[in-house]
Amino acid sequence: MADRRHALDRIDTTVAHPARRYNYLLGGKDNFAADRASAEAIEAAMPTIRLAALENRAFLHRAVRFLAERGIRQFLDIGTGIPSADNTHEVAQRIDPAARIVYVDNDPIVLAHARALLTSTPEGTTAYIDADLRDPRGILDDPEVRATLDFTQPLAVMLVAVLHFVRDDEDPQGIVDTLLDALPSGSYVVASHSTWEYLPAEAIEKLEAANGDGRFRARTGEQLEKLFTRLELIEPGVQSVARWWPEQASQPRPAVEDVAFNAIVGRVR
């Protein structure tokens, strides 16, 4: 309870936060006026942003199911976001109730809702840590992470819709490499990332104007792939989230221009 009170004390309702903005785009209620205003500015430039958020979330579900069906029983979900339907542990533990998951986020409102992320099956384990992707070493060395996950066995690192909040001057390659260095052979990385490469120049200009603090950094599919050259990419390689395992997704599939998210699933050699 003390952690929850401390988390609520840290919430600044006057500044938009990515987790709360994403919650609003997904139709959630755990957001504030600043988050909604930020999301609506993005929506004015890209009217299909809510569809993009939903497609990105659906990709996460398909990716977790894909990995769990191939024997992955450990997940490190960085940039978790506010709990919603079918969180990583719920998808994984339907396939194996003994799956273990650690969630990571730096938004105090996520910590305030952490109980929803910790509803593990009796056989499995879930944990949550309050940490930032920009400090990957701190995540990897966290006692809760080390107590929950066995880094001598394959695991999956989930980087879904989070890397685009790491600016170029914050060394995204170094962050990725630090995480990859900790993973044993047979592990996987799942990443999705916003891209503007499918959007018209007018929309990009409006999106750049909405990115007032410069925190957001869209990247092309080529730039995303470059971050993960050490991985053996699973087919179809770097591709729009709308085209990842489309036969398993709702139909009809949206256009890549309407989604503007690329994704990769890669295996550690």
Side-chain angles (χ1 to χ4, degrees):
M1 178 66 86
D3 285 347
R4 185 176 186 276
R5 284 198 300 268
H6 178 63
L8 292 172
D9 289 343
R10 288 167 45 208
I11 296 172
D12 184 350
T13 64
T14 67
V15 178
H17 190 283
R20 301 195 300 265
R21 182 171 55 216
Y22 194 53
N23 172 263
Y24 175 63
L25 292 170
L26 289 171
K29 300 186 182 341
D30 295 300
N31 47 75
F32 301 100
D35 308 306
R36 295 189 287 274
S38 175
E40 287 163 5
I42 295 170
E43 189 171 23
M46 183 183 170
T48 59
I49 186 62
R50 292 175 189 268
L51 171 65
L54 290 168
E55 283 292 323
N56 185 70
R57 187 73 181 175
F59 163 74
L60 179 146
H61 297 159
R62 296 197 298 275
V64 173
R65 188 166 60 245
F66 170 86
L67 297 177
E69 288 173 348
R70 281 150 184 80
I72 297 298
R73 297 295 178 260
Q74 307 184 99
F75 295 82
L76 179 59
D77 187 334
I78 303 175
T80 300
I82 295 166
S84 61
D86 283 342
N87 299 293
T88 295
H89 74 281
E90 294 167 315
V91 177
Q93 290 180 347
R94 283 192 202 114
I95 295 168
D96 186 342
R100 303 191 301 278
I101 295 88
V102 176
Y103 292 105
V104 181
D105 207 289
N106 69 347
D107 183 359
I109 204 169
V110 180
L111 175 58
H113 287 275
R115 284 181 186 156
L117 296 171
L118 303 177
T119 54
S120 175
T121 59
E123 303 93 330
T125 305
T126 62
Y128 173 83
I129 67 168
D130 184 12
D132 194 308
L133 173 60
R134 289 167 290 183
D135 179 18
R137 192 72 260 163
I139 293 171
L140 295 168
D141 291 341
D142 186 277
E144 194 78 38
V145 172
R146 290 292 168 174
T148 306
L149 304 177
D150 179 359
F151 281 80
T152 69
Q153 299 297 318
L155 65 146
V157 172
M158 311 295 294
L159 297 169
V160 175
V162 64
L163 279 167
H164 46 232
F165 297 113
V166 178
R167 300 191 307 260
D168 289 343
D169 63 355
E170 293 172 323
D171 192 15
Q173 188 67 68
I175 290 170
V176 168
D177 287 344
T178 298
L179 292 170
L180 293 181
D181 287 344
L183 301 180
S185 178
S187 295
Y188 287 84
V189 176
V190 174
S192 68
H193 200 298
S194 287
T195 181
W196 292 346
E197 61 193 315
Y198 307 121
L199 301 179
E202 181 182 358
I204 294 172
E205 184 178 349
K206 290 179 181 177
L207 287 167
E208 288 176 340
N211 185 29
D213 61 0
R215 170 49 55 200
F216 183 84
R217 172 68 167 91
R219 294 183 174 94
T220 65
E222 183 179 354
Q223 290 169 323
L224 176 61
E225 184 173 11
K226 187 177 179 181
L227 290 172
F228 296 99
T229 55
R230 293 168 57 183
L231 296 178
E232 175 188 343
L233 297 189
I234 305 301
E235 290 295 333
V238 178
Q239 184 56 268
S240 169
V241 294
R243 292 183 177 173
W244 264 93
W245 307 305
E247 67 282 356
Q248 301 175 28
S250 61
Q251 303 296 327
R253 296 278 71 221
V256 296
E257 294 84 358
D258 291 337
V259 175
F261 266 95
N262 284 320
I264 63 106
V265 178
R267 186 177 185 273
V268 177
R269 298 180 177 94

